[in-house]
C-alpha cells in the first residue's frame, strides 16, 4: 500500500513483478491523461478503498517513530546507528507502554 506519490505505472509494474499486491490510488492528472487516450488508455488499475484505509495505521506508526529527533532528521551517518535508534524507539513505544 502506498500513497498517490507512488502511483507511477513503472512503480506499479515493479511491484507486480515481485508479486506484491498493489493498492495505490491514481492521481487526478493520471486519470485525466488515461481518459484522453480513450480506449488506448487501458483499464484503470485496481483499487480497494477498504484495504487502503489500513495504510493509515502504518503511517501513524511511522510518524510516532519520527517523534524521536534522531530518527525524524536522519542525522546518523551509519545505517547501524540509525537502525539502533529505530529499534530502540519501537521497544519504548510498543513493549514498554
Amino acid at each position: 500500500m502506498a500513497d498517490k506519490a507512488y502511483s507511477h505505472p513503472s512503480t506499479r509494474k515493479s511491484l507486480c513483478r515481485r508479486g506484491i499486491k498493489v493498492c495505490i490510488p491514481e492521481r487526478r492528472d493520471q486519470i485525466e491523461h488515461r481518459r484522453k487516450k480513450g480506449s488506448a488508455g487501458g483499464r484503470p488499475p485496481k483499487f480497494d478503498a477498504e484495504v487502503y484505509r489500513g495504510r493509515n495505521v502504518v503511517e501513524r506508526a511511522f510518524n510516532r517513530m519520527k517523534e524521536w529527533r534522531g530518527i525524524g532528521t536522519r542525522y546518523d551517518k551509519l545505517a547501524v546507528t540509525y537502525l539502533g535508534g529505530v529499534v530502540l524507539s519501537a521497544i519504548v513505544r510498543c513493549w514498554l507502554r
Side-chain angles (χ1 to χ4, degrees), residues 21-88:
K21 189 175 180 181
V22 181
C23 183
I24 305 171
E26 263 188 312
R27 290 192 323 247
R28 216 176 296 142
D29 64 332
Q30 289 176 337
I31 293 170
E32 291 171 12
H33 182 68
R34 187 174 35 78
R35 285 187 182 154
K36 283 180 185 176
K37 286 181 151 185
S39 61
R43 290 189 308 243
K46 292 181 182 178
F47 174 68
D48 186 0
E50 285 296 318
V51 172
Y52 188 68
R53 282 190 191 124
R55 177 184 156 272
N56 184 27
V57 176
V58 176
E59 287 291 324
R60 283 186 288 153
F62 279 116
N63 287 333
R64 268 190 244 117
M65 270 192 194
K66 288 180 181 179
E67 287 177 3
W68 284 42
R69 189 177 69 178
I71 295 170
T73 56
R74 300 181 188 155
Y75 283 137
D76 296 321
K77 293 187 189 238
L78 298 176
V80 174
T81 311
Y82 185 75
L83 179 61
V86 170
V87 170
L88 185 60

Side-chain angles (χ1 to χ4, degrees), residues 64 68 84-97:
R64 268 190 244 117
W68 284 42
V86 170
V87 170
L88 185 60
S89 169
I91 290 170
V92 170
R93 285 283 178 186
C94 298
W95 290 305
L96 298 180
R97 223 195 273 186

Side-chain angles (χ1 to χ4, degrees), residues 7-15 17:
S7 68
H8 194 269
S10 65
T11 305
R12 289 179 191 277
K13 287 177 188 174
S14 175
L15 292 172
R17 270 186 303 216

